[in-house]
Amino acid sequence: MLKVLVIDDEVFVRKGIVMETDWASLDCMVAGEAANGLEGLEACRKYNPDLIISDIRMPKMDGIKAMLKLRERNNIPIILVSAKGEDADKVFGLEFGADDYITKPFGWREL
C-alpha cells in the first residue's frame, strides 16, 4: 500500500482530497497532510511518503519550489494540481519534473 502526502493551502480542498478519495481502491493510504511547501518538506521527512499530491500556488513555498527541493534528496513521484485555466502552471510543473498534473476540481478516479 502506497503512503500519500497531500499538500494544499486550501483546507477544504485538502480535506476534500483526503476524505473524498477512495484510497483503498487505489492501494493507497494518506500518511499526512501539509498546508504549504515548507510544511510539506517537513511532512515528507516525517512520513516518508511514496507519492505526493501537491498544489502549485501556496504561501511560504509553492509546490514547484518544494518539488525541486525534494528532488535534491529523492525521487518521490509528485502529482501537481492547480486551478482550471492555469496552463502555464501545468507546462512549468511538468518541465521541472512533476510526474503528472491534474486540474482542479477533480474526482478521485482521475488519480
Side-chain angles (χ1 to χ4, degrees):
M1 184 166 281
L2 296 176
K3 296 184 295 183
V4 179
L5 173 63
V6 179
I7 308 170
D8 198 305
D9 62 315
E10 296 178 56
V11 176
F12 291 115
V13 172
R14 187 174 69 245
K15 293 296 183 185
I17 293 169
V18 171
M19 304 293 277
E20 299 297 322
T21 301
D22 184 0
W23 294 107
S25 73
L26 300 171
D27 197 30
C28 296
M29 63 171 274
V30 176
E33 303 175 39
N36 60 60
L38 287 175
E39 287 182 17
L41 293 175
E42 187 60 36
C44 194
R45 285 189 281 277
K46 181 177 179 180
Y47 299 114
N48 195 28
D50 301 302
L51 172 67
I52 296 172
I53 299 172
S54 177
D55 189 14
I56 292 178
R57 295 178 184 245
M58 297 179 288
K60 297 186 182 178
M61 179 183 287
D62 67 38
I64 291 176
K65 287 180 185 166
M67 177 182 68
L68 293 173
K69 289 207 173 277
L70 287 167
R71 293 284 193 238
E72 292 173 3
R73 292 188 294 235
N74 52 45
N75 198 28
I76 298 169
I78 299 172
I79 298 172
L80 293 177
V81 297
S82 193
K84 268 190 171 174
E86 297 181 15
D87 289 337
D89 283 347
K90 176 180 181 176
V91 171
F92 194 68
L94 292 172
E95 284 180 358
F96 277 92
D99 294 281
D100 207 345
Y101 177 94
I102 299 175
T103 302
K104 292 183 201 178
F106 60 89
W108 68 268
R109 287 177 178 86
E110 291 175 80
L111 289 174

